[in-house]
Amino acid sequence: MTVQPETTASSTAQPASAQAGLGTPSAPTAAATDTSSDSAASAPSTPTVPDSGQAAPAAPAAPTVPAAPIASARGTLHHVEIWVPDLEEARATWGWLLTELGYSPFQTWDTGFSLRLGGTYLVFEQSAALSSSEHDRLRPGLNHLALHSGSQARVDRLYAAAQEKGWTPLFADRYPWAGGKPSDGRPGHYAAFLQNSAGFEVELVAAPADVVLRPIISADIDVFFRMEQDREANRIAAFTVKDPTDRGRFDARWKILREDPQVTARTILVGGRVAGSIMTYVEDDEHELTYWIGREYWGRGVATKALRAILTEVTDRPMHARTAKDNVGSLTVLKRCGFEVIGEDSGFANGRGEVVEEFILALRDQPVQHG
């Protein structure tokens, strides 16, 4: 079978600690690789942040605006009107931020301006009917606006730049997880909370990362077991357990792995759903890496992203890995993450029922010396 790059299973020797008394490798070695996102999943729609909000006073009608042209827009947000005590301050803070997020100037008049993105626009007006010169987000009314802001890296950049544009961080000691840290089953709510000098708060929400690692929970083990029944994944990985259908041995192996302090085992989530597992462990005083990714996630970049994530978390070097020589996808992923071939070996592969040749690879801080 021709294996596409990043579509295979990576094989690696397993921790001896999980082999004792089991007669089988400990970690799910195969790893059908690479994917990026599945169904979108989710951060909580309403972050749990200790705040409330002040409503803007009712106001006279704003300048007339064309009605929404698309009937199918029914129920979606048409516009938001925010009364401000200082129009120029609003231009400096809101004008800059919304432009960075893709809004364009829409209307302007003596006491206000608006910016538009798609079918929604935001109005900022310093009305003569203002009953107060102060906005208090802790009073009934508007607490803050939460805006989709792109990737986590983009939120980081906006968070830093906004502090030079009149915005002050809120909940800085909990950045970027003030809206909810990653936890079992959830990737977390990555966001920046900012306040301008007029007291208005904005939340810049990052899109959920498509590949997230988190600690393994008991429910994940059932998913891992189903994935390990895939015959093709076992064939590609080659160096797998002798009998992947033996649930008793499977559970015993994972129990040992989860309790071993030298093992860092993580569940790979794609769009909030379990896509596989990845781990590092110590074997004969060497740090080793192994992973397994479900077939439905092959060929989409998951393995590469998961490897990069765990190599950021586990900084021990050199890190070693093994893969069957014909496992093109896994070899591609490992090399993409900085691994280099340092040797070769061969052994009986349960996944194929024959002796299979494999590459030994290493990721080092210093250049690899060949020869």
Side-chain angles (χ1 to χ4, degrees):
M1 170 184 173
T2 301
V3 179
Q4 299 176 358
E6 301 186 78
T7 302
T8 75
S10 144
S11 66
T12 300
Q14 268 103 92
S17 61
Q19 297 178 17
L22 299 178
T24 167
S26 62
T29 52
T33 95
D34 270 18
T35 146
S36 65
S37 74
D38 183 47
S39 60
S42 238
S45 57
T46 305
T48 54
V49 177
D51 253 349
S52 335
Q54 167 188 332
T64 57
V65 177
I70 304 174
S72 62
R74 179 184 300 159
T76 62
L77 191 65
H78 185 274
H79 75 275
V80 174
E81 182 168 328
I82 300 172
W83 282 16
V84 298
D86 185 336
L87 190 62
E88 292 312 308
E89 190 273 350
R91 290 186 195 277
T93 57
W94 285 108
W96 170 81
L97 181 60
L98 293 173
T99 299
E100 289 292 312
L101 292 174
Y103 282 75
S104 300
F106 181 38
Q107 295 176 312
T108 185
W109 59 101
D110 289 346
T111 59
F113 67 96
S114 65
L115 297 101
R116 187 170 192 164
L117 180 62
T120 300
Y121 61 95
L122 301 181
V123 177
F124 299 88
E125 183 172 8
Q126 185 175 350
S127 172
L130 276 169
S131 62
S132 173
S133 61
E134 296 181 357
H135 168 71
D136 186 348
R137 71 179 194 281
L138 300 182
R139 292 179 179 176
L142 177 69
N143 175 252
H144 70 281
L145 294 181
L147 304 170
H148 290 291
S149 304
S151 68
Q152 293 180 357
R154 178 161 176 74
V155 167
D156 289 341
R157 290 194 295 271
L158 285 172
Y159 183 63
Q163 295 175 52
E164 303 295 325
K165 298 292 184 178
W167 293 93
T168 301
L170 292 173
F171 324 116
D173 59 327
R174 287 179 281 162
Y175 180 78
W177 303 114
K181 291 183 179 180
S183 60
D184 292 348
R186 293 180 180 271
H189 185 79
Y190 197 107
F193 293 84
L194 300 161
Q195 176 179 281
N196 67 9
S197 61
F200 289 94
E201 178 185 344
V202 66
E203 177 184 353
L204 305 179
V205 182
D210 55 352
V211 177
V212 175
L213 302 187
R214 66 152 165 75
I216 293 170
I217 61 174
S218 297
D220 298 339
I221 304 301
D222 291 334
V223 182
F224 298 163
F225 183 72
R226 290 195 297 270
M227 289 179 175
E228 197 162 323
Q229 307 311 301
D230 188 323
R231 292 185 179 181
E232 181 61 12
N234 278 272
R235 190 198 71 77
I236 295 172
F239 297 94
T240 61
V241 297
K242 186 175 183 179
D243 181 7
T245 66
D246 189 332
R247 182 61 191 256
R249 288 180 179 268
F250 183 88
D251 288 344
R253 194 167 78 239
W254 271 106
K255 183 177 186 298
I256 292 171
L257 288 168
R258 294 175 70 188
E259 294 175 352
D260 188 337
Q262 290 188 304
V263 173
T264 299
R266 297 288 181 261
T267 293
I268 302 168
L269 297 178
V270 173
R273 298 176 62 184
V274 176
S277 62
I278 188 165
M279 73 177 72
T280 66
Y281 58 92
V282 178
E283 181 77 17
D284 296 330
D285 296 324
E286 291 188 343
H287 297 280
E288 302 279 348
L289 171 81
T290 186
Y291 62 95
W292 186 297
I293 294 175
R295 178 194 286 264
E296 63 268 39
Y297 297 96
W298 293 5
R300 295 158 53 189
V302 169
T304 299
K305 293 175 182 178
L307 260 68
R308 286 173 176 162
I310 202 165
L311 290 170
T312 298
E313 178 181 357
V314 181
T315 57
D316 300 292
R317 301 290 186 270
M319 182 69 68
H320 296 86
R322 292 170 176 253
T323 184
K325 284 188 175 181
D326 59 0
N327 189 343
V328 178
S330 189
L331 184 62
T332 300
V333 169
L334 290 166
K335 287 183 174 180
R336 183 178 293 157
C337 292
F339 284 80
E340 296 187 28
V341 174
I342 60 169
E344 300 180 9
D345 199 359
S346 64
F348 184 81
N350 290 318
R352 302 186 191 180
E354 61 185 7
V355 174
V356 172
E357 294 183 336
E358 62 180 344
F359 287 121
I360 303 170
L361 300 96
L363 173 66
R364 303 181 178 184
D365 288 334
Q366 67 279 7
V368 175
Q369 300 297 318
H370 299 281

